[in-house]
Structure formats: C-alpha cells, structure tokens
Amino acid sequence: RHGPAAVYRAAAGLYFFSNALMPQLTSAQRLGALPLWASVVAISLIRSLGGPLGFPALAVLLNAALAVGERPRGLWNGIASSCLAAGRAAAPIAVGSVWSLALRHSGEPLESGGARAWPWPVDYHLPFYLLCVVSVLCGLLSLRF
C-alpha cells in the first residue's frame, strides 16, 4: 500500500507544501516575532521530512527499475549518484540566481538606483513557486511506477 513511489510522491508533496508556504513568512512577520518563528519552525519541520523520505524511495525505485534484465546495476547506480551530485551542485546556483534576480526587482524605488519592481508572482515569490513546479513534476514522474 505504501510503496516507494507513494513515499516519493509524499516527499514531493511535502516539498511543494513547504515551498508554497515559505514566501508567506512575510505575513507572519507582520504579526510579530512569535508567529514568525513558529511558522519558520513548522515549515522547516515539514521540509526536513522530504529528504529522508524522498531520497531512499528514489533509490529503491531506481534499483527496482534496474532489476529487470541483465543491466549492470553498479554502473547505473554510479551514474544516478553522479547525476544526483550534479543536481545538488547546480540547483543552489540556479535557484540563487533566480533569487538574486527577483530581489533585484523587488521594489526599490527607481530614483534610489533600484530596478523597476516586478509584480507578484515574479517578485521574491518566484524561486519558491519554481521549486513548487519542480516538486509537482517530480511527483508526476513518479506516477510511472
């Protein structure tokens, strides 16, 4: 009932939920320090469940896909680990670039040297919403298993 594909979809859902809630911390900040930090802790707890659920489930799915036929399992596990490492290296650069671009256009007045403000959702919400799209795509890809 709760196979690796379902666990991976749950992890993708947790990432989606935490990334969708992260930009809403500005609303909690307006309410005071206690609501802000309670929200930060709650979102961090939700987000911290995604990795320990998702990565082992993905490894099980990969090994189950390789079990069919005479494929060299060690070679494909090595390639998958290399792709995972490349993704972990490239993702912070890509998301950091989007974050920097979004903050550059976050509403500084033009007369003070700032760039023209971009409207919602391409303001500071943009990196989080792009990560939500990636989470949905990962969840949809797991429907194949």
Side-chain angles (χ1 to χ4, degrees):
R1 188 176 116 168
H2 299 292
V7 172
Y8 185 74
R9 281 191 291 278
L14 289 171
Y15 275 126
F16 174 84
F17 190 59
S18 66
N19 285 318
L21 288 176
M22 192 69 73
Q24 308 312 318
L25 288 175
T26 55
S27 300
Q29 184 179 17
R30 286 186 220 118
L31 298 174
L34 182 63
L36 171 66
W37 287 106
S39 300
V40 167
V41 168
I43 292 172
S44 296
L45 287 174
I46 292 168
R47 189 177 186 86
S48 68
L49 292 174
L53 286 175
F55 289 122
L58 190 59
V60 170
L61 288 172
L62 176 67
N63 282 317
L66 293 175
V68 179
E70 294 293 323
R71 297 186 181 116
R73 194 177 283 192
L75 170 71
W76 287 107
N77 275 326
I79 290 171
S81 295
S82 298
C83 290
L84 179 65
R88 285 187 177 188
I93 295 169
V95 174
S97 298
V98 173
W99 176 253
S100 174
L101 182 66
L103 286 184
R104 188 177 315 133
H105 295 280
S106 66
E108 286 291 320
L110 290 173
E111 53 272 358
S112 67
R116 183 174 303 279
W118 288 352
W120 177 89
V122 291
D123 55 356
Y124 66 91
H125 295 86
L126 180 64
F128 300 105
Y129 292 158
L130 287 176
L131 288 172
C132 286
V133 170
V134 170
S135 297
V136 168
L137 291 175
C138 289
L140 290 175
L141 284 174
S142 72
L143 292 174
R144 294 185 58 214
F145 295 98

